[in-house]
Amino acid sequence: MLLTLIGKQMKMLLRNKQPLIILLVMPVVLITILSTALAGVMNSGGEPAIQAKLVIIDESNWQQEEASISSFLKEQGISGPALNAFKNNDPIYILENSILASKDVNKYITLEKQPASELESIRKEKDIDGILVVPADFRLNYIKAAYFDDNQSPNIDLFLSQENEIRASIIQSIIDQWQNGFSKSLALAKAGISPDEVMQSNQHVEKIEQILEEGERKIPASIYYTVGMLVMFALYIPSFLSGFALQEVQWKVYDRILLAGVSATKYALSIFATGTLVAIMQQIIILLFGKFVLRIDWMGLEAMAIIVLSYSLFIGGLAALLTTLQFRTKSDGAANIFNGLVVSVFSFLGGSFFNIGDVSSLLANIGNFTPNGAAMTAILFIQKGQRLDVIWPYMTALYVALILCVLLAIVLFPKRGVTS
């Protein structure tokens, strides 16, 4: 009887053009459009969507401080060429010309220099995301603290916009990296390492980006959006199945099924099984489209099978829960809210539209706890070439959501007929 119910629901799904278009045609079309249109941005590092504006107000400079620095160094018995070594290691110079000027940073931060007299007016400008104020005698104080055991550390002031928190956080991250590097230099110098060694170690500025481990590959737009649309459009399956179930209630078909001796539990189980089966079929079709049309070389087939099956089981559980809610409310309001709001929010947080981690690490972490976000992150890790064990934290989040859906469906599903 269970197979008969599954077969009946599959026929209802296949006889309706709208579900087939949304579940199969739309993801394929969007994958093709997005992977083609955004290939240049994702594959070759095009212009970022967010760019912060930083203003540096330097109340002094090396030329103004050179006399006082030379005088101090002579008192310490240092003169001649050694002065140039300190000059080449000017922290502000390295920040402006090595870090902020690098192609990996300047595409996210635009730099502007202003005199100290403009500070108050600049702080009122809404398009300024950060202001770095370098006080007078900063360079002299830095040299004293770094190399001559002066316990007073040089200070700088960083003002960040409260209105543009995302762009301000980009500036904060870069400045923190810069300060951290020179703090380490300070500690090394105080540990007895010569100034030349410390300065040489600071002349090399590593790129602030993810370093791929051996055997990993970058994720091109074709893979990213195939996976993104795969997990997103699977979320529409429960609303279609719950809609068909509600139609059966309204047409008295559900009551006749119960009168025929089929238990409500078995009917709910058939919804769960149908949702799982449809999700598996949908994902396989999309993955095959990626392989044969987009020429994607899918890696880690064993891990991919585990993720697809796990996510499909969640879709089945969600279909049973959504059917339960519609039976309880006797309307399609639950499915409409789910399609109009929940799918959009989950897809945004899960990263189906774009990599949310580029905007906010907090939102990315939240997205990893959504079922679609967990499945997408797990698949992308496998496609980078990482090992199977990396997916288990995300599978845990997925199975927690599955168990929650199943338990709620069991508790709330009407055990008798549903009156329309």
Side-chain angles (χ1 to χ4, degrees):
M1 181 58 70
L2 180 63
L3 292 178
T4 301
L5 290 174
I6 295 173
K8 171 186 65 66
Q9 289 155 0
M10 290 293 293
K11 288 179 181 177
M12 292 180 67
L13 191 64
L14 293 173
R15 286 173 181 171
N16 287 268
K17 294 181 180 180
Q18 184 183 11
L20 295 179
I21 291 174
I22 292 178
L23 298 181
L24 295 178
V25 178
M26 283 186 64
V28 166
V29 172
L30 285 176
I31 289 168
T32 304
I33 294 173
L34 292 173
S35 61
T36 302
L38 300 178
V41 175
M42 294 193 65
N43 302 348
S44 59
E47 289 297 318
I50 296 177
Q51 193 171 53
K53 186 174 182 179
L54 171 66
V55 173
I56 292 183
I57 295 179
D58 194 347
E59 296 183 355
S60 179
N61 56 53
W62 182 266
Q63 286 72 27
Q64 291 175 326
E65 292 193 58
E66 187 170 2
S68 58
I69 291 173
S70 298
S71 176
F72 172 77
L73 292 178
K74 285 179 181 179
E75 293 175 3
Q76 309 300 320
I78 300 174
S79 60
L83 182 62
N84 291 329
F86 287 102
K87 180 179 180 179
N88 293 335
N89 198 43
D90 178 5
I92 306 302
Y93 178 86
I94 290 179
L95 174 65
E96 293 179 14
N97 297 279
S98 293
I99 299 178
L100 295 176
S102 69
K103 65 178 182 180
D104 300 298
V105 175
N106 66 14
K107 64 183 179 181
Y108 296 105
I109 298 178
T110 59
L111 177 62
E112 181 180 325
K113 296 192 69 174
Q114 293 287 351
S117 59
E118 299 294 326
L119 175 59
E120 291 305 318
S121 62
I122 291 173
R123 292 185 65 174
K124 297 176 183 178
E125 295 183 20
K126 294 185 178 180
D127 63 332
I128 303 297
D129 303 301
I131 304 172
L132 183 69
V133 180
V134 183
D137 298 329
F138 171 82
R139 294 160 182 82
L140 175 60
N141 292 333
Y142 172 78
I143 291 173
K144 289 180 179 180
Y147 308 118
F148 298 99
D149 296 326
D150 191 317
N151 292 326
Q152 184 175 356
S153 300
N155 295 316
I156 58 173
D157 294 318
L158 177 62
F159 302 95
L160 297 173
S161 170
Q162 299 298 316
E163 297 183 3
N164 304 312
E165 293 184 2
I166 294 175
R167 296 198 293 270
S169 67
I170 297 174
I171 295 174
Q172 180 77 67
S173 176
I174 298 298
I175 298 300
D176 285 347
Q177 292 286 340
W178 169 70
Q179 287 183 306
N180 183 53
F182 279 96
S183 296
K184 290 179 180 178
S185 298
L186 182 64
L188 289 171
K190 290 183 176 180
I193 300 176
S194 67
D196 285 342
E197 293 179 69
V198 176
M199 287 183 283
Q200 288 172 5
S201 70
N202 283 326
Q203 288 174 356
H204 176 66
V205 181
E206 292 185 358
K207 289 167 37 174
I208 305 172
E209 63 180 19
Q210 181 182 13
I211 300 175
L212 295 177
E213 297 178 1
E214 185 177 357
E216 289 190 4
R217 65 174 176 179
K218 289 187 176 181
I219 299 296
S222 57
I223 292 180
Y224 186 89
Y225 284 107
T226 299
V227 177
M229 296 302 106
L230 179 145
V231 298
M232 173 182 169
F233 279 92
L235 293 174
Y236 288 102
I237 294 173
S239 60
F240 285 118
L241 293 180
S242 62
F244 294 149
L246 186 62
Q247 284 183 356
E248 291 185 330
V249 170
Q250 294 169 344
W251 297 342
K252 307 299 182 182
V253 174
Y254 178 67
D255 290 337
R256 290 198 292 270
I257 290 175
L258 296 183
L259 290 173
V262 178
S263 66
T265 302
K266 186 171 291 186
Y267 183 87
L269 183 60
S270 72
I271 297 292
F272 173 81
T274 304
T276 302
L277 180 61
V278 172
I280 291 174
M281 294 171 60
Q282 181 199 42
Q283 291 176 86
I284 289 176
I285 291 172
I286 292 176
L287 292 173
L288 290 175
F289 172 81
K291 180 176 180 60
F292 293 108
V293 178
L294 301 180
R295 304 296 182 185
I296 296 175
D297 180 20
W298 295 112
M299 301 173 63
L301 296 183
E302 177 185 353
M304 289 287 288
I306 293 173
I307 298 169
V308 167
L309 178 59
S310 300
Y311 189 56
S312 299
L313 287 170
F314 162 74
I315 294 298
L318 186 60
L321 176 58
L322 205 55
T323 299
T324 299
L325 295 177
Q326 299 217 126
F327 277 15
R328 283 286 181 180
T329 59
K330 304 179 183 66
S331 72
D332 57 0
N336 291 336
I337 293 174
F338 183 81
N339 280 348
L341 180 61
V342 177
V343 172
S344 299
V345 172
F346 273 32
S347 298
F348 171 76
L349 293 175
S352 289
F353 303 132
F354 60 91
N355 187 355
I356 191 98
D358 291 340
V359 176
S360 169
S361 58
L362 175 62
L363 291 179
N365 291 332
I366 295 174
N368 286 336
F369 286 98
T370 63
N372 56 302
M376 182 173 180
T377 303
I379 292 176
L380 291 179
F381 271 132
I382 294 300
Q383 295 313 307
K384 286 179 180 178
Q386 296 194 18
R387 295 175 299 180
L388 178 62
D389 55 4
V390 77
I391 72 171
W392 297 125
Y394 304 101
M395 292 298 95
T396 300
L398 195 56
Y399 279 107
V400 167
L402 166 62
I403 293 171
L404 184 62
C405 287
V406 170
L407 288 178
L408 288 174
I410 291 173
V411 171
L412 299 176
F413 198 90
K415 300 300 185 291
R416 298 179 181 178
V418 180
T419 57
S420 57

